[in-house]
Amino acid sequence: MPEGTPTSEHQPGDPRRRPRRETVTYASAHGAGAPPGPARRRPVHPPARSEIDEQTTLGHTYVRSLMRSQLRAALTALGALALLVGPLPLLLALPAPEAFVWVALGVGVYPVVWGIAHWYVRRAERNERDFTRLVER
């Protein structure tokens, strides 16, 4: 056969000549250990941590937002404490047996104070955790 003519081994319709098909999945495109979902790109803006370290206006805004959220939680806890425990001296000023006073203090006040303190600590930790996530994005 002449050199330019195709042989039976390399004809255009021959299935051995076609490229093998491959199913593309997220894992094959992004690696086996990659979490599913859209690929994340790095932000083009500088991280908030550098804004805070350099004391820019944006960094000042981040810190002020944390301080405002912490102040809001503290004032809410203080207001709840004042509303729930504040009238206690008026209640205890009424003529009542001594057992009633101890029951009012032990059963009525301490669980309320503990509940408000527990709520405040959890709220403050959540505010700090949210701020840390915001800064490290």
Side-chain angles (χ1 to χ4, degrees):
M1 256 192 215
E3 273 186 46
T5 58
T7 63
S8 63
E9 293 177 9
H10 300 295
Q11 290 183 358
D14 188 9
R16 291 178 286 173
R17 188 167 170 142
R18 288 187 202 153
R20 185 174 174 208
R21 289 185 151 195
E22 180 182 343
T23 303
V24 178
T25 62
Y26 185 85
S28 67
H30 297 285
R40 292 194 157 215
R41 295 183 182 187
R42 287 277 182 200
V44 293
H45 55 80
R49 180 178 294 167
S50 67
E51 296 287 341
I52 293 170
D53 290 341
E54 295 172 7
Q55 297 181 352
T56 63
T57 305
L58 182 58
H60 181 68
T61 304
Y62 282 138
V63 173
R64 268 184 71 91
S65 72
L66 173 65
M67 290 173 64
R68 263 196 321 267
S69 64
Q70 296 290 49
L71 179 64
R72 188 178 318 122
L75 291 177
T76 302
L78 180 66
L81 188 65
L83 287 176
L84 296 173
V85 180
L88 191 62
L90 297 175
L91 179 68
L92 296 177
L94 297 174
E98 188 177 334
F100 173 74
V101 172
W102 287 108
V103 169
L105 288 175
V107 177
V109 175
Y110 289 116
V112 170
V113 170
W114 185 88
I116 291 171
H118 182 71
W119 174 85
Y120 174 73
V121 168
R122 291 187 59 185
R123 181 66 183 208
E125 288 174 349
R126 190 178 102 195
N127 288 341
E128 291 172 1
R129 189 173 48 248
D130 291 346
F131 178 75
T132 303
R133 285 184 189 145
L134 176 70
V135 168
E136 290 181 355
R137 264 201 285 171

